[in-house]
Amino acid sequence: MNLNLLIPDLFWPDALQQNIYDELSTRRLETLLSKSISSTNPIHETEAWLCQQFHIARQQNNWPIAPIMLHADAPDLAKASKDFWMRADPVHLRIEQNHIMLADSQAFRITEEETNELIQDINHNFSHDGFTFLSLRPDRWYIRLPAMAEIHTHTLSQVTCKNINNFLPSGADSILWHKIFNEIQMLLHEHPVNQARESRGELTINSIWLWGGGNMPQFVRSPYSHVWSNDDFPRALALANGTSHSNLPANAEEWLMTRPDGDHLVVLDSLRGKAQYRNAYGWREALKDMERNWFSPLHAALKEGKINQLTITALNETSSRDFSLTRSDLWKFWRITKPLSIHSRKH
């Protein structure tokens, strides 16, 4: 059995903040990384990495996240539609000096009633432009277009807690979409939903983020026999391909009790949001949990020959790194176990 662990933000994103690794007990993780053979890939966003693994090509320089997610959120609509779909997720923008910082739905809660009211008014104002907004989940919105939009966008995870001025849509149709983007912001600014949210001290939903546009790919090929994840996008990819999918078990011991055979992808993404929002304490605590619940039992399973090959894929803001090892690699004494801080410096 082969296992690929996908771990966004395994290393803290601020390379200058090396003291975050002080007194952090991750001995088994350090052993697994130190005994492995590592390689680097320029693909570093979670969604992009997953698309690449499932042999999905870019469309107009975009990863077609929206139509793939639609296939999971509304399968009947996805099967009947040959339209171009984009995500248009609700976000909060905050002006800081010359920057416009973006917070995604990790930072706020939006109800289904609020979403329906906002979407209804957005559609009322933009229906003449030939596209329709849909909310299939309060925090997941879509736009349906009759024709492909010639713009290059950036994934929501790529811009979360970033200055959006560096990530606005580009391409032949970008002027039109900048206009729509601004008009929606103006509509949301004085909207009764946001006035009520502001009076309650909640973050307003004062913008959307456009990303992940495309048509449903003709072919989705999976290298895995089973995908384990609590995130919706890996589940959508598994559905599109007919690959088995399960929610993430509580720990590796519980996972090993399923007697997995074949090639498995396990997505451990509890570090991701904490790194994006620079929650150092939360990130350290989540990594401690991973050491106890995943790295320690997986180290033992590899040592006992229950796993043929283990690959840890660590994503950061500039690249991804694969750390691959087999049982025999654990006995290579010349590969000295190095602290996690040393591995983090090799980004």
Side-chain angles (χ1 to χ4, degrees), residues 139-159:
D139 60 349
R140 190 151 64 226
W141 299 1
Y142 295 82
I143 304 179
R144 177 168 56 187
L145 299 165
M148 179 175 288
E150 293 191 31
I151 56 171
H152 173 217
T153 62
H154 297 271
T155 64
L156 181 58
S157 63
Q158 191 177 2
V159 299

Side-chain angles (χ1 to χ4, degrees), residues 11 21 24 26-36 38 321 323 333-346:
F11 303 114
Y21 300 103
L24 188 60
T26 53
R27 183 65 179 177
R28 293 309 184 197
L29 171 60
E30 290 166 352
T31 299
L32 293 171
L33 297 180
S34 299
K35 299 294 185 181
S36 68
S38 66
R321 294 170 64 195
F323 299 87
F333 62 87
W334 57 91
R335 294 182 186 170
I336 301 170
T337 299
K338 299 173 184 176
L340 194 57
S341 58
I342 298 296
H343 294 288
S344 74
R345 294 173 195 163
K346 297 179 180 180

Side-chain angles (χ1 to χ4, degrees), residues 7-114:
I7 312 178
D9 295 298
L10 177 61
F11 303 114
W12 185 248
D14 186 351
L16 299 177
Q17 199 176 346
Q18 287 294 303
N19 62 337
I20 198 168
Y21 300 103
D22 291 352
E23 300 179 15
L24 188 60
S25 180
T26 53
R27 183 65 179 177
R28 293 309 184 197
L29 171 60
E30 290 166 352
T31 299
L32 293 171
L33 297 180
S34 299
K35 299 294 185 181
S36 68
I37 299 295
S38 66
S39 59
T40 303
N41 185 324
I43 297 293
H44 60 278
E45 302 158 61
T46 303
E47 295 85 358
W49 186 90
L50 286 165
C51 283
Q52 188 179 64
Q53 291 299 107
F54 281 78
H55 304 280
I56 294 168
R58 293 187 186 186
Q59 299 177 18
Q60 294 285 328
N61 289 320
N62 302 300
W63 298 103
I65 312 297
I68 295 168
M69 284 303 307
L70 184 74
H71 186 82
D73 283 341
D76 292 339
L77 179 59
K79 290 173 185 175
S81 172
K82 294 184 179 179
D83 294 324
F84 181 89
W85 291 87
M86 266 197 301
R87 289 277 290 274
D89 293 329
V91 298
H92 173 79
L93 301 181
R94 184 176 71 246
I95 298 175
E96 295 183 0
Q97 298 178 340
N98 296 324
H99 296 170
I100 303 176
M101 308 298 290
L102 181 147
D104 67 359
S105 59
Q106 295 178 82
F108 57 80
R109 179 178 175 272
I110 179 171
T111 67
E112 189 172 347
E113 292 76 14
E114 288 174 319

Side-chain angles (χ1 to χ4, degrees), residues 109-118 193 197 200:
R109 179 178 175 272
I110 179 171
T111 67
E112 189 172 347
E113 292 76 14
E114 288 174 319
T115 294
N116 291 339
E117 196 172 334
L118 292 172
V193 165
R197 290 179 67 90
R200 297 192 300 267

Side-chain angles (χ1 to χ4, degrees), residues 166-179:
N166 302 322
F167 300 98
L168 292 172
S170 59
D173 292 338
S174 61
I175 294 176
L176 168 65
W177 286 99
H178 286 183
K179 178 174 177 288

